[in-house]
Amino acid sequence: MGGSGYCSDIADAGLAAGGLARIGWAERAMPVLGLLREECASKQPFAGRSIAACLHVTAETAVLVGVITAGGGQVHLAASNPLSTQDDIAAALASQPGVFVHAKTGVDRDAYYSHLHRALDGEPDLVVDDGGDLVNTLHTERPELLPRVAGGCESTTTGVVRLGQMAASGSLAFPVVAADASVTRRMFDNGYGTSQSVIDGLMRATNLLLAGKTVVVAGYGSCGRAIAERAAGLGAQVIVTEVDPVRALDAIMSGYRVLPMADAAPAGDVFITATGSRDVIAGPHLALMRDGVVLANAGHFDVEIDVRALADLAVDVNRGIRPNADEYVLDSGKRLILLADGRVVNLIAAEGNPAAVMDLSFAAQALALMWLVSGEAGLAAGVYPTPAAIDTEVARLTLAAHGTAIDTLTAAQQEYLESWRHGS
Amino acid sequence: MAAEHLPFKVADLSLAEFGRNEIRLAEHEMPGLMALREEYAGSRPLASARITGSLHMTVQTAVLIETLVALGAQVRWASCNIFSTQDHAAAAVAVGPDGTPDDPRGIAVFAWKGETLDQYWWCTEQALTWPDGETGGPNMLLDDGGDATLLVHNGAEFEAAGEVPAGSDDDPEEWHVILGVLRDAMKADPAKWTQIAGQILGVTEETTTGVHRLYEMAKAGTLRFPAINVNDSVTKSKFDNKYGCRHSLIDGINRATDTLIGGKVAVICGYGDVGKGCAESLRGQRARVVITEIDPICALQAAMDGYQVATLEDMVETADIFVTATGNLHIITAEHMSRMKHQAIVGNIGHFDNEIDMAGLARLPGIRRNVIKPQVDEWVFPDGHSIIVLSEGRLLNLGNATGHPSFVMSSSFTNQVLAQLELFTKTEQYPLGVHVLPKQLDERVARLHLDALGVRLTELSKEQAAYIGVPVEGPYKSDHYRY
């Protein structure tokens, strides 16, 4: 390894100092990765390995990259979203030995994919993906690289679904750990992180008082549930839309109103999509909405709100009435405010998940990468849930970092729990 | 003692031991009252007070009664609601801490659960009639809803007029009962109520409804003695109305119906202190709560607290639970009830039973009442669908559950005792009119409850106190401060 011909493609190398300061700030809030970095520095699990990563280029991602490089790995990082790249972080990472960054904020689709290719040019032994674009490009356009890939991990549910389809059709060439589905990830990332940062993004983009407003949350998965809870906690009335009867029932039993989007559309002041699906807010819904409503998407891709339909309905668009807020004026005179172009609002209008949440999420991925590269996993190609042992280890490290002590089962308790002989 | 006078009347004296056990547990949860007993055990400032109380005869009220007795008062008592008496509490109070069912040594209590209206007003009159006293009546009233005050005032008014009016068919049934009681009293003694009213130094009123009546009387110039509005002490209204109802509303609904509240749509009529507590408790169970209001400020508050605010008309066909908490009449009409969902639950937590039109419901052609259990009635409409009405439209937290928990009532009743002390020992400071307790006494009630909760209060420094312009020891807020 070494610098053999690779170079970064970033916006401005001069931003590195500011980026390094922000990474230092994030490190303070990421004690679990800190513990893992110490472990990696001594055990060198990634020595001589190349890792291609497609992740949001943020300060928290930089801390994960630091763990891998501390463990001896070389990292080729591309952005998983053209709008979420923080150029100062990209510059800071590119200034580090063993790290090559291919990411600039606001690049077009062609540049986005060319960055994925540049990351793959590093001939990865491991891949880290967020949304599945990197793994997809690797399989469809760079198959010659597949033989050396030992495995990978995927951060988001959207990516895991795509990989599952690849595995089902027999096209997936290596084992992938689905880091989205780990217990700690769901609990902290979807449950606590996304919801807080989505509300943060909404507030930064609009400065809207949520108390007294009607907030429509589309999707009652782990993200939607937490967003609903945060919005209700701020005094909003929450309406949930769902397609899954079990989740709809869960929303009802949580005290929310559940309506089809067609009925919610005329009732809401704020709409937040968190479904993973497309066209959740479609043209006919937009036409029903009240003047001044705010539309935000918390899902990974920008397809949940039909932005094209919105543009078609609009007779005028006032771009950037506030940062990350565009006003679409309809024929009727009604104005709909779209945040962050319908892209993931918590990353664009706010700072994404707080570092403490990403700490857990990335710790699980670092542990999964260590497990895959160790050869102990011995997995065939396919998508695998995060092993329970990794989940437990993440929780254990997190508690240790928080200074929280817990009880340990006694031998008698252990025996009791494992026995089937004890009755009432 | 005259032959027609009973020393007391309760349902079953054999319940006294159970009642005493519950009183003992309640005493621990009523630190404010117990602190007053300790403080005034020696001085007995209520010695020579003859207090007639008209207030729900519950375990907590028993601790209030025995606190008044510990402070030296003689006490006679009736409940202020036909369903709210806890018979074991009434029995224990009649027997007293030192008596036995065979040798009762407690106070003269006239109360049992499930009184008829005739019995209810007989009990109230008994509590106001002091057969052993020289004057035949109390010198202090402790009222909840104002029924004792009402009987004295109406009695004296009719005596002045020389006759009790006949009443008309439009009048509620209860008014005819009251007129009957006063008519009988006038036959026996045409000056009874005038004499009693003249002896009363004042009344301390517990609840919003009664306070409202007092202000009306004061405005009309018909109030005959000073009154302290205990209801509007912060440590009463917030704690009792909001926190108490937050606790006991769902307790009542659960005991009555055992319906899962989560996921249901619940309409709360009224978003005052009681409505706020009710909404919070149902939301806490994860019902979807919808508020109805007539006051734009309360309606806006509800909206800002995240509730849907609608009219009853909007919700009547879709909601699962209806609770009235307005203090007003004709909130839920028979017509509303006829349109409700099958097995919708209808209850009232306001003081009087006029928020839900029970008489109108009973008059609907073809309607059938099916008693599920005491205080739980299924009303079956001719089309076969039915609704469930709790406590016959009377306050369900007392009718279907046990009312406010002891701790809340301690806060409320500590105000009552302080108000009784104020009126009885500083009579000259309270001229004819309706007064609220001085803020420092309100703060004192709160102080008396902090230790039990492990609260560590921060003390103002002299500099801090001077900076905000209050004494170090309080009062800390202006009279207009909204807690």
Side-chain angles (χ1 to χ4, degrees):
Chain A
M1 63 181 259
S4 54
Y6 302 121
C7 65
S8 292
D9 180 22
I10 57 173
D12 181 359
L15 300 173
L20 286 171
R22 290 214 295 127
I23 294 167
W25 175 255
E27 278 173 349
R28 300 181 199 204
M30 304 184 86
V32 181
L33 284 182
L35 292 174
L36 283 176
R37 187 171 53 235
E38 284 170 25
E39 188 181 330
C40 282
S42 69
K43 293 185 182 165
Q44 293 291 301
F46 301 115
R49 304 293 187 141
S50 171
I51 291 96
C54 173
L55 293 166
H56 297 289
V57 181
T58 63
E60 295 77 28
T61 296
V63 181
L64 171 64
V65 170
V67 172
I68 297 170
T69 53
Q74 186 182 75
V75 177
H76 299 264
L77 175 66
S80 60
N81 185 304
L83 286 184
S84 66
T85 297
Q86 296 167 5
D87 288 324
D88 57 342
I89 301 297
L93 277 172
S95 74
Q96 299 300 298
V99 184
F100 302 93
V101 183
H102 319 283
K104 293 177 188 174
T105 189
V107 296
D108 63 15
R109 184 182 158 82
D110 287 346
Y112 172 73
Y113 277 99
S114 87
H115 282 151
L116 295 184
H117 279 283
R118 288 175 66 108
L120 292 171
D121 288 343
E123 300 184 353
D125 300 295
L126 294 167
V127 292
V128 183
D129 209 352
D130 184 340
D133 282 348
L134 183 71
V135 171
N136 196 282
T137 304
L138 173 60
H139 281 76
T140 54
E141 296 174 31
R142 306 295 292 275
E144 76 281 3
L145 296 173
L146 288 171
R148 63 174 298 144
V149 179
C153 55
E154 165 60 49
S155 306
T156 69
T157 305
T158 303
V160 169
V161 169
R162 293 175 80 188
L163 291 169
Q165 288 154 354
M166 287 175 73
S169 66
S171 341
L172 188 63
F174 48 79
V176 178
V177 173
D180 76 306
S182 77
V183 175
T184 44
R185 156 87 191 206
R186 276 216 186 280
M187 192 191 297
F188 279 79
D189 192 340
N190 296 1
Y192 304 119
T194 304
S195 56
Q196 181 177 319
S197 58
V198 163
I199 300 292
D200 186 11
L202 182 67
M203 287 176 174
R204 292 197 203 191
T206 64
N207 198 27
L208 199 69
L209 180 71
L210 281 182
K213 298 293 194 302
T214 299
V215 174
V216 177
V217 178
Y220 201 69
S222 48
C223 285
R225 170 205 310 272
I227 293 167
E229 192 180 333
R230 299 296 174 276
L234 287 162
Q237 268 188 62
V238 173
I239 295 175
V240 170
T241 74
E242 248 303 342
V243 294
D244 177 335
V246 176
R247 285 176 170 172
L249 184 60
D250 196 12
I252 282 283
M253 298 312 287
S254 301
Y256 302 115
R257 205 167 166 192
V258 176
L259 292 173
M261 185 56 82
D263 295 331
D269 300 300
V270 176
F271 294 78
I272 303 171
T273 54
T275 68
S277 183
R278 59 174 296 169
D279 303 334
V280 178
I281 296 179
H285 303 133
L286 295 164
L288 296 170
M289 288 179 181
R290 300 200 296 217
D291 182 35
V293 304
V294 173
L295 306 167
N297 167 45
H300 186 79
F301 287 119
D302 61 350
V303 296
E304 306 209 10
I305 300 168
D306 188 347
V307 178
R308 188 167 297 171
L310 179 59
D312 288 347
L313 280 173
V315 294
D316 196 10
V317 181
N318 300 314
R319 296 219 177 268
I321 52 166
R322 284 171 60 91
N324 299 309
D326 296 334
E327 182 182 66
Y328 288 74
V329 184
L330 307 194
D331 197 23
S332 58
K334 286 192 290 193
R335 293 155 300 179
L336 310 185
I337 316 292
L338 178 68
L339 304 189
D341 293 330
R343 292 176 187 275
V344 58
V345 71
N346 58 330
L347 280 153
I348 296 165
E351 297 179 51
N353 275 329
V357 171
M358 298 315 293
D359 193 25
L360 269 75
S361 190
F362 283 152
Q365 296 200 37
L367 286 167
L369 292 172
M370 288 159 73
W371 181 57
L372 286 166
V373 82
S374 71
E376 288 167 12
L379 300 172
V383 183
Y384 297 89
T386 303
I390 288 182
D391 245 335
T392 305
E393 179 64 6
V394 170
R396 194 189 66 75
L397 288 168
T398 310
L399 290 173
H402 285 200
T404 301
I406 61 169
D407 290 324
T408 308
L409 287 175
T410 64
Q413 288 172 324
Q414 189 82 41
E415 191 272 333
Y416 176 80
L417 292 172
E418 285 168 0
S419 171
W420 50 269
R421 291 180 190 280
H422 296 291
S424 51
Chain B
M1 189 175 85
E4 68 270 29
H5 291 301
L6 298 171
F8 58 83
K9 187 163 168 59
V10 299
D12 182 357
L13 275 191
S14 73
L15 299 171
E17 186 183 349
F18 173 35
R20 182 54 52 188
N21 283 334
E22 286 237 272
I23 289 169
R24 202 165 38 74
L25 294 180
E27 285 171 350
H28 182 70
E29 277 286 288
M30 303 187 84
L33 290 179
M34 300 312 281
L36 293 181
R37 284 192 202 181
E38 200 173 322
E39 180 172 346
Y40 294 113
S43 58
R44 293 169 61 86
L46 292 178
S48 78
R50 296 187 309 277
I51 301 171
T52 287
S54 165
L55 198 153
H56 310 288
M57 186 53 251
T58 63
V59 167
Q60 293 75 29
T61 300
V63 182
L64 167 64
I65 290 170
E66 292 180 355
T67 301
L68 295 169
V69 171
L71 268 55
Q74 292 174 269
V75 179
R76 291 175 76 83
W77 212 267
S79 192
C80 63
N81 182 287
I82 62 171
F83 286 127
S84 64
T85 296
Q86 292 169 347
D87 287 325
H88 61 305
V93 164
V95 167
D98 306 320
T100 66
D102 296 327
D103 177 22
R105 297 181 187 177
I107 65 127
V109 53
F110 300 86
W112 56 95
K113 190 179 181 84
E115 295 158 1
T116 64
L117 285 174
D118 286 320
Q119 290 167 338
Y120 172 78
W121 286 99
W122 177 84
C123 288
T124 306
E125 187 185 16
Q126 291 302 308
L128 284 162
T129 306
W130 290 66
D132 305 326
E134 292 166 23
T135 63
N139 54 17
M140 293 292 294
L141 293 185
L142 193 159
D143 219 347
D144 181 350
D147 279 353
T149 305
L150 176 142
L151 201 62
V152 172
H153 276 78
N154 280 309
E157 181 192 330
F158 299 153
E159 284 167 5
E163 64 165 351
V164 176
S168 82
D169 288 349
D170 295 339
D171 291 329
E173 181 194 357
E174 187 158 13
W175 182 239
H176 288 278
V177 174
I178 294 167
L179 294 177
V181 167
L182 294 176
R183 207 170 286 125
D184 291 347
M186 191 176 279
K187 274 180 212 155
D189 176 0
K192 168 173 179 164
W193 299 110
T194 309
Q195 192 182 348
I196 287 176
Q199 294 293 324
I200 293 174
L201 298 173
V203 58
T204 59
E205 169 56 50
E206 173 79 3
T207 200
T208 313
T209 305
V211 165
H212 181 71
R213 280 184 178 176
L214 288 170
Y215 282 114
E216 291 287 307
M217 285 195 279
K219 204 166 125 193
T222 56
L223 187 65
R224 289 172 182 264
F225 36 77
I228 287 186
N229 162 3
V230 169
N231 181 69
D232 288 317
S233 291
V234 175
T235 48
K236 197 281 179 183
S237 56
K238 286 277 183 205
F239 288 70
D240 177 315
N241 293 348
K242 188 173 180 191
Y243 307 136
C245 291
R246 185 174 68 183
H247 166 91
S248 58
L249 172 71
I250 56 164
D251 190 11
I253 294 173
N254 281 331
R255 293 197 205 195
T257 68
D258 197 27
T259 298
L260 182 68
I261 295 172
K264 296 298 198 302
V265 177
V267 176
I268 309 286
C269 300
Y271 199 65
D273 279 336
V274 171
K276 287 177 173 79
C278 290
E280 200 177 333
S281 90
L282 289 168
R283 176 183 263 182
Q285 297 292 310
R286 293 292 188 261
R288 182 160 73 78
V289 176
V290 180
I291 304 293
T292 76
E293 249 301 342
I294 50 99
D295 179 331
I297 296 179
C298 294
L300 183 60
Q301 270 185 313
M304 300 306 280
D305 288 342
Y307 299 106
Q308 184 183 348
V309 182
T311 63
L312 188 56
E313 207 57 37
D314 296 332
M315 300 306 302
V316 74
E317 283 157 5
T318 50
D320 303 290
I321 299 169
F322 296 84
V323 178
T324 54
T326 68
N328 206 335
L329 77 175
H330 302 161
I331 303 302
I332 295 181
T333 65
E335 195 270 337
H336 285 138
M337 288 186 270
S338 71
R339 286 156 53 205
M340 287 177 182
K341 273 165 75 171
H342 184 49
Q343 294 200 357
I345 296 167
V346 182
N348 164 51
I349 198 164
H351 187 82
F352 285 120
D353 63 344
N354 54 9
E355 305 207 16
I356 301 167
D357 182 11
M358 293 307 298
L361 182 67
R363 277 200 303 267
L364 287 179
I367 195 147
R368 188 162 53 80
R369 175 183 174 184
N370 180 19
V371 178
I372 305 291
K373 59 184 180 181
Q375 277 77 257
V376 182
D377 293 321
E378 180 186 24
W379 288 82
V380 186
F381 294 89
D383 69 356
H385 97 284
S386 64
I387 62 169
I388 296 163
V389 180
L390 307 185
S391 291
E392 301 180 23
R394 291 172 184 273
L395 69 189
L396 76 94
N397 60 330
L398 279 148
N400 296 94
T402 51
H404 296 327
S406 300
F407 197 91
V408 165
M409 295 318 292
S410 179
S411 186
S412 172
F413 287 166
T414 304
N415 276 288
Q416 275 286 3
V417 175
L418 292 179
Q420 288 280 323
L421 283 169
E422 287 287 297
L423 274 183
F424 188 71
T425 63
K426 300 177 188 165
T427 312
E428 70 291 346
Q429 291 180 19
Y430 293 91
L432 185 61
V434 186
H435 308 269
V436 292
L437 275 182
K439 187 162 291 285
Q440 210 159 0
L441 291 182
D442 212 345
E443 290 172 356
R444 183 170 170 214
V445 173
R447 270 185 211 284
L448 292 173
H449 290 84
L450 295 181
D451 277 351
L453 296 175
V455 173
R456 286 161 51 82
L457 194 65
T458 304
E459 215 176 286
L460 282 175
S461 71
K462 274 186 189 145
E463 292 77 9
Q464 287 174 321
Y467 182 73
I468 58 170
V470 301
V472 169
E473 66 284 359
Y476 303 103
K477 300 289 194 291
S478 74
D479 287 340
H480 307 294
Y481 182 78
R482 296 182 182 89
Y483 290 83

